[in-house]
Amino acid sequence: MQRFVGAAKVLHSADVALFVATCPFTSQALSIAAETGITVVHRGLLEQWSAGEPLAGSPGVGTA
């Protein structure tokens, strides 16, 4: 997560950054994401999203 934040925010000056992973996020990664405004999507939400469910407003989506 730390490298992703650096790449997204510092190197690319991203206004919106979405971290999608097929593995669970650690509590530390979720904390960093929340502190830096990174949107995280875990495997279950990825499956729902790929099946056509809208990402916005889904439980667990947003900054951590």
Side-chain angles (χ1 to χ4, degrees):
M1 185 62 69
Q2 292 171 336
R3 288 183 182 176
F4 181 78
V5 169
K9 300 288 186 166
V10 177
L11 294 177
H12 300 290
S13 301
D15 294 324
V16 176
L18 182 73
F19 193 118
V20 180
T22 57
C23 57
F25 292 98
T26 64
S27 60
Q28 184 180 18
L30 291 172
S31 177
I32 293 168
E35 291 173 17
T36 58
I38 302 295
T39 299
V40 297
V41 179
H42 60 74
R43 182 183 183 126
L45 290 174
L46 179 60
E47 290 171 355
Q48 293 173 358
W49 189 22
S50 68
E53 291 290 324
L55 184 58
S58 296
V61 173
T63 53

